[in-house]
Amino acid sequence: MSKVATRFAPSPTGPLHIGGVRTALFNWLFTKSQGGDFYLRIEDTDKERSKDEYKDQIIKSLKWIGIEYDGDEYIQSKKIDNHIKVANELLKNGYAYKCYCSNDEIEEQKKRAKQKKIPYIYNRKWRDKEESAAPKNIEPVIRFKSKIEGSTILKDLVQGDVQIENNTIEDFIILRNDGSPTYNLSAAIDDQQMKVTHIIRGDDHKINTFKQMQIYLAMKWELPYFAHIPLIHTTEGKKLSKRDKASTLDDYSKIGIMPEALRNYLLRLGWSFKDKEIFTLDESIKHFNLEGIGKSPSKLDISRILSMNEHYIKNISENDLFDRFNNYCKNYKEKIETNKEDKIKKSLSFLKNKAKSLEDIYNNSKYIIFDEVSFDENDLKLIDNKAKTIIKDFYDEISKQEEINKNILEPIINSLIKKHETNFKGVGQPLRIALTGSKFGPGIYDIIISLGKLDIEKRLSKIVK
RNA sequence: GGUCCCUUCGUCUAUCGGUUAGGACACAUGGUUUUCAUCCAUGAAAGAGGGGUUCGAUUCCCCUAGGGACCGCCA
């Protein structure tokens, strides 16, 4: 077979969710590992439901996670003339036929099948009928003349050999009565036109494959390889759908998940390479293969995503992390003032140690980002009179200092503990609340040093009055 | 209901006939730490059930159970 080519073919009828992204990722990784081409095909033949905003969202999502497609995106609706041409050719060669059943007639059959609890399958009424028997007032649909005898084996690269009786595949419609092509026709033709060698997609398409294979065969085209990957399930064990919460990339981006973390997580969801958990981009490309894909569906686990994210937060450079964080704040929170940038940058070394997400960093650095500290009622109660005198003493000591560093701070704190006959918490907690408005956060030394003398005096003076 | 697929710790998974069934996340406990964390150590935690095949099955086969996907003039 020629140069490897794969494609990701979403329909722009809703936002791309994380399951689709994984499918795209697997296609892309496989292609890159084979030195092939990866294409994006927008399947927008459903005029009613296809929206440009979804197309844009799909492209944006792929870009965000670092998947690049070769060439321009292939817009399926621009190719329907060709699809119709092929349909007519199939018709001419006896692989398809016109079906004059009315909608009502079909609906009636479906209803009856449901009542009798037998599977509905189109009864092939017009398969061998003479054209002359056609009613005048009905625009026909074109159906593919599906095989009735025998069985077909799909040699699936993930699922192994899947055998199905041919008569379970109905004479599916390839051209609607308005003359427009349907999915199975368009997809098969475009895959062939684009010279796609490996079709890697969700296993919800498995039955479609048997239909599309027949089109390939009827047109005497060389069959591509197929690989059907198991779907991602929600925690409840159901197929991930566009309606699910936390399913789009933006849902993850806005809680501060970084693209490489999600990419790494998605890679390991349903695919493995020995015991390896962390994959750089190059390693993913190097090691990815179809053999490593499992056959059972896997569930989404947010705590693993978070922990993967934590790993990347701790392992990328602080400059890089700052840029991400800066961007994150701009997009989803409060833009960081230029004069705060340096303080944040310097504080990243300790901020990142307690963060699983960029949002965590944001929450822990609010005391730097905002000049005004907002207090929680209950926290404020913890600053009693004794605490106030401690803060006052601390304030006085700080005022005497030229600059503040750990060497200066340590003896001050220690002497306060001694003087007030308390422990570290007795000093640290009120100070923390006074300076940040929160009981939690970075170490108190880190807070004090990162704030600097001026800010400390400003904040403490409000408490001490 | 029909067709097809799946089934190892709670979760993601390793194992390609012989392992004390391994790792990661989460969880629990202890240590470090000045809160919360980080970090370190330790622990609990799995082959759905039943039959075969085999000297030996998590691994191969069958049945049962459970779960999932598909069953559109959607893609």
Side-chain angles (χ1 to χ4, degrees):
Chain A
M1 198 166 268
S2 46
K3 187 181 183 187
V4 165
T6 63
R7 101 279 122 114
F8 175 56
S11 67
T13 55
L16 180 61
H17 61 66
I18 195 166
V21 173
R22 189 190 61 155
T23 304
L25 180 68
F26 282 13
N27 270 286
W28 181 67
L29 251 19
F30 174 73
T31 312
K32 290 301 139 196
S33 75
Q34 302 287 315
D37 289 324
F38 168 73
Y39 303 114
L40 173 65
R41 183 169 79 223
I42 303 293
E43 305 215 323
D44 58 344
T45 53
D46 185 343
K47 279 271 170 293
E48 298 284 305
R49 296 193 298 156
S50 292
K51 297 256 178 356
D52 267 0
E53 60 171 293
Y54 293 133
K55 186 185 88 181
D56 296 343
Q57 187 266 356
I58 289 166
I59 292 171
K60 205 176 121 199
S61 295
L62 295 180
K63 194 173 171 185
W64 183 78
I65 205 157
I67 297 175
E68 290 173 350
Y69 47 91
D70 293 293
D72 289 332
E73 53 276 14
Y74 183 107
I75 307 295
Q76 191 164 56
S77 59
K78 289 183 181 166
K79 308 285 179 180
I80 57 175
D81 286 350
N82 186 239
H83 304 159
I84 293 168
K85 212 180 93 195
V86 173
N88 286 129
E89 200 174 328
L90 289 168
L91 194 60
K92 196 182 81 193
N93 296 334
Y95 289 106
Y97 61 93
K98 290 179 180 170
C99 164
Y100 290 89
C101 289
S102 68
N103 257 325
D104 292 348
E105 198 176 340
I106 299 286
E107 285 308 313
E108 182 61 29
Q109 283 174 33
K110 283 185 186 170
K111 222 160 83 186
R112 279 224 302 274
K114 210 170 182 182
Q115 276 169 1
K116 286 200 216 158
K117 285 195 192 293
I118 54 170
Y120 165 77
I121 185 163
Y122 170 67
N123 62 12
R124 308 188 182 97
K125 182 174 168 187
W126 289 90
R127 185 173 170 115
D128 298 309
K129 268 202 177 176
E130 288 301 319
E131 190 85 5
S132 54
K136 285 265 160 9
N137 57 340
I138 287 183
E139 269 313 306
V141 298
I142 311 285
R143 288 183 183 270
F144 187 85
K145 203 178 274 184
S146 208
K147 287 181 188 166
I148 297 176
E149 304 289 325
S151 59
T152 300
I153 295 174
L154 162 64
K155 289 189 178 304
D156 195 283
L157 264 20
V158 168
Q159 313 259 337
D161 287 1
V162 182
Q163 186 169 157
I164 199 170
E165 295 300 316
N166 288 144
N167 61 21
T168 59
I169 303 295
E170 70 166 353
D171 286 354
F172 54 97
I173 293 169
I174 54 177
L175 236 46
R176 302 185 183 94
N177 63 185
D178 65 357
S180 63
T182 61
Y183 165 75
N184 279 303
L185 208 230
S186 297
I189 296 170
D190 286 345
D191 283 334
Q192 194 276 153
Q193 290 284 302
M194 294 162 78
K195 298 188 166 60
V196 171
T197 59
H198 296 254
I199 295 177
I200 304 166
R201 56 179 21 162
D203 69 9
D204 49 342
H205 280 290
K206 213 153 54 183
I207 296 297
N208 288 327
T209 300
F210 288 94
K211 298 178 179 174
Q212 294 166 201
M213 279 167 80
Q214 293 200 61
I215 292 173
Y216 266 81
L217 259 24
M219 293 302 292
K220 301 188 169 56
W221 291 334
E222 187 184 0
L223 278 176
Y225 292 105
F226 290 95
H228 289 94
I229 63 181
L231 301 173
I232 294 178
H233 282 177
T234 61
T235 338
E236 290 75 43
K238 298 273 184 252
K239 175 185 171 180
L240 207 60
S241 95
K242 295 174 182 182
R243 287 178 299 280
D244 283 307
K245 286 259 179 290
S247 71
T248 68
L249 258 34
D250 194 58
D251 292 330
Y252 292 94
S253 174
K254 78 177 170 219
I255 58 169
I257 303 294
M258 304 194 294
E260 52 272 82
L262 200 59
R263 190 215 74 224
N264 199 148
Y265 170 77
L266 251 19
L267 172 67
R268 280 288 287 100
L269 189 64
W271 177 84
S272 62
F273 178 75
K274 297 178 184 165
D275 272 349
K276 197 168 164 59
E277 301 282 350
I278 305 296
F279 290 83
T280 63
L281 195 54
D282 285 347
E283 286 172 332
S284 326
I285 293 170
K286 185 175 158 203
H287 294 303
F288 187 80
N289 55 24
L290 264 19
E291 294 77 50
I293 300 176
K295 291 170 95 175
S296 53
S298 34
K299 289 177 191 162
L300 229 38
D301 180 359
I302 186 67
S303 71
R304 276 178 72 85
I305 299 177
L306 249 11
S307 117
M308 192 62 83
N309 202 46
E310 183 181 13
H311 174 268
Y312 281 95
I313 282 180
K314 288 184 178 138
N315 284 282
I316 62 177
S317 76
E318 274 170 29
N319 278 336
D320 198 0
L321 183 60
F322 176 77
D323 290 341
R324 315 293 190 97
F325 179 62
N326 197 225
N327 251 309
Y328 172 77
C329 290
K330 196 169 73 193
N331 290 335
Y332 299 105
K333 304 287 183 189
E334 212 72 37
K335 190 179 181 316
I336 296 173
E337 299 294 328
T338 321
N339 61 354
K340 304 282 185 194
E341 284 182 6
D342 251 20
K343 272 188 182 174
I344 299 274
K345 232 178 241 183
K346 282 187 189 135
S347 308
L348 240 27
S349 60
F350 61 82
L351 284 171
K352 70 177 179 183
N353 279 331
K354 35 202 332 147
K356 282 180 186 291
S357 67
L358 297 176
E359 188 170 44
D360 287 347
I361 297 182
Y362 172 77
N363 286 141
N364 279 326
S365 61
K366 275 181 179 166
Y367 77 96
I368 302 175
I369 297 172
F370 298 103
D371 288 322
E372 289 298 317
V373 180
S374 57
F375 296 99
D376 182 271
E377 279 289 322
N378 291 322
D379 290 346
L380 219 47
K381 279 184 201 150
L382 290 172
I383 304 183
D384 54 14
N385 284 336
K386 183 180 175 185
K388 271 185 189 165
T389 58
I390 293 173
I391 292 172
K392 174 83 168 57
D393 285 353
F394 179 77
Y395 178 88
D396 292 342
E397 286 300 321
I398 290 295
S399 302
K400 293 180 203 158
Q401 303 301 326
E402 291 283 322
E403 65 167 314
I404 299 170
N405 58 46
K406 194 161 183 187
N407 288 336
I408 289 165
L409 220 42
E410 228 163 347
I412 294 177
I413 299 274
N414 285 335
S415 73
L416 282 175
I417 292 171
K418 223 175 212 170
K419 181 180 169 192
H420 294 274
E421 294 178 321
T422 180
N423 53 20
F424 191 90
K425 196 176 174 184
V427 174
Q429 180 152 318
L431 273 177
R432 172 194 301 284
I433 293 171
L435 291 170
T436 71
S438 170
K439 273 188 291 188
F440 312 112
I444 189 68
Y445 284 135
D446 288 331
I447 292 174
I448 293 169
I449 294 165
S450 64
L451 236 25
K453 186 179 168 185
L454 260 100
D455 276 346
I456 294 169
E457 288 176 332
K458 222 155 69 187
R459 290 181 190 196
L460 293 189
S461 64
K462 282 185 190 159
I463 301 287
V464 185
K465 297 196 175 81

